[in-house]
Amino acid sequence: QVQLVQSGAEVKKPGASVQVSCKASGYTFTNHDINWVRQATGQGLEWMGWMNPKSGNTGFAQKFQGRVTMTRQNSLTTAYMELSDLRSEDTAVYYCARGRGGGLSYYFDFWGQGTPVTVSS
Amino acid sequence: QSVLTQPPSVSGAPGQTVTISCIGSSSNIGARYDVHWYQQLPGTAPKVLIYGSTNRPSGVPDRFSGSKSGNSASLVITGLQAEDEADYYCQSYDTRLSGSYVFGTGTTVTVL
């Protein structure tokens, strides 16, 4: 069965960086994009970007360009998301999600359990 | 600020039918991009409920159905059950801002 297992909770100071990992199992890792979505407490879902594990190509929401990096280690079937220059408004639960489909129809069919990130001085 | 607008909340008694709307524009739903729906139970990750505007993944009860027309889409829950109490989000793609996947503002369903 498809599973995405994320790393544990993080507490960071403003200006620092955080890296969250997402280990995939149950499918061929290089066949599907990994996306990252975040959710602040009591708020909605916000898409951050995608990464193609086969090519390493990435695409980011304009809001995060210049501050987010998405990488992978295929031998470990693990994807990583790093967010730099953290601010209090980056406090949220970060999810990885597998991409499915393409063209006019692309959605997220499996999700990790979420990683809480708290930014506080 | 999301480009897909949903009602903040809807409610219904067990057995009733509720409808959640997702209103977009010509740069997303109206540009023929499909709409997908997710259910998020309290304290858990979202789960896909409807994909490709009208399709249910295996395991999703047939009381959930989706439709799309013009710049908007709808999720209908027929025969509401207590376990349907959750947050629901629509999702599509928007061609503005260099292209981006977008979620709706979210709707909380309360079973009375």
Side-chain angles (χ1 to χ4, degrees):
Chain A
Q1 70 285 19
V2 174
Q3 277 196 303
L4 299 174
V5 178
Q6 299 182 222
S7 49
E10 301 269 8
V11 179
K12 296 291 182 181
K13 293 194 183 304
S17 297
V18 68
Q19 184 182 71
V20 179
S21 67
C22 172
K23 179 165 177 61
S25 62
Y27 72 99
T28 302
F29 180 61
T30 50
N31 282 357
H32 294 269
D33 296 343
I34 292 290
N35 291 260
W36 292 88
V37 175
R38 75 178 188 180
Q39 184 174 37
T41 303
Q43 303 300 307
L45 301 170
E46 181 175 35
W47 179 78
M48 299 178 68
W50 61 268
M51 182 200 62
N52 182 302
K54 183 178 289 184
S55 64
N57 289 345
T58 54
F60 307 125
Q62 199 166 71
K63 172 178 179 177
F64 299 102
Q65 284 179 10
R67 261 204 324 141
V68 69
T69 306
M70 294 180 187
T71 58
R72 86 289 191 209
Q73 194 159 358
N74 289 349
S75 61
L76 298 179
T77 65
T78 300
Y80 305 90
M81 185 281 298
E82 181 169 346
L83 188 62
S84 63
D85 190 22
L86 289 169
R87 309 144 190 178
S88 58
E89 49 267 38
D90 293 319
T91 295
V93 175
Y94 289 75
Y95 294 100
C96 61
R98 192 179 83 162
R100 184 77 180 264
L104 295 174
S105 190
Y106 183 90
Y107 64 103
F108 313 114
D109 63 348
F110 288 92
W111 294 65
Q113 83 276 18
T115 296
V117 174
T118 302
V119 182
S120 173
S121 54
Chain B
Q1 189 173 353
S2 177
V3 298
L4 301 179
T5 302
Q6 301 178 229
S9 63
V10 298
S11 61
Q16 287 190 329
T17 296
V18 296
T19 300
I20 301 171
S21 59
C22 175
I23 300 172
S25 68
S26 59
S27 64
N28 41 69
I29 301 173
R32 299 195 302 128
Y33 288 97
D34 272 339
V35 177
H36 319 286
W37 292 89
Y38 302 86
Q39 177 192 59
Q40 187 176 31
L41 297 170
T44 69
K47 163 193 154 184
V48 62
L49 207 59
I50 298 287
Y51 68 93
S53 299
T54 60
N55 304 294
R56 278 188 313 276
S58 60
V60 172
D62 60 6
R63 64 176 182 276
F64 294 95
S65 62
S67 64
K68 187 184 93 162
S69 179
N71 290 348
S72 66
S74 294
L75 173 72
V76 177
I77 310 174
T78 306
L80 196 62
Q81 298 188 7
E83 58 260 38
D84 299 334
E85 194 159 280
D87 292 329
Y88 293 82
Y89 295 90
C90 59
Q91 175 250 313
S92 187
Y93 179 83
D94 194 281
T95 58
R96 296 174 299 179
L97 300 177
S98 304
S100 177
Y101 296 103
V102 290
F103 288 95
T105 48
T107 299
T108 298
V109 170
T110 301
V111 182
L112 301 172

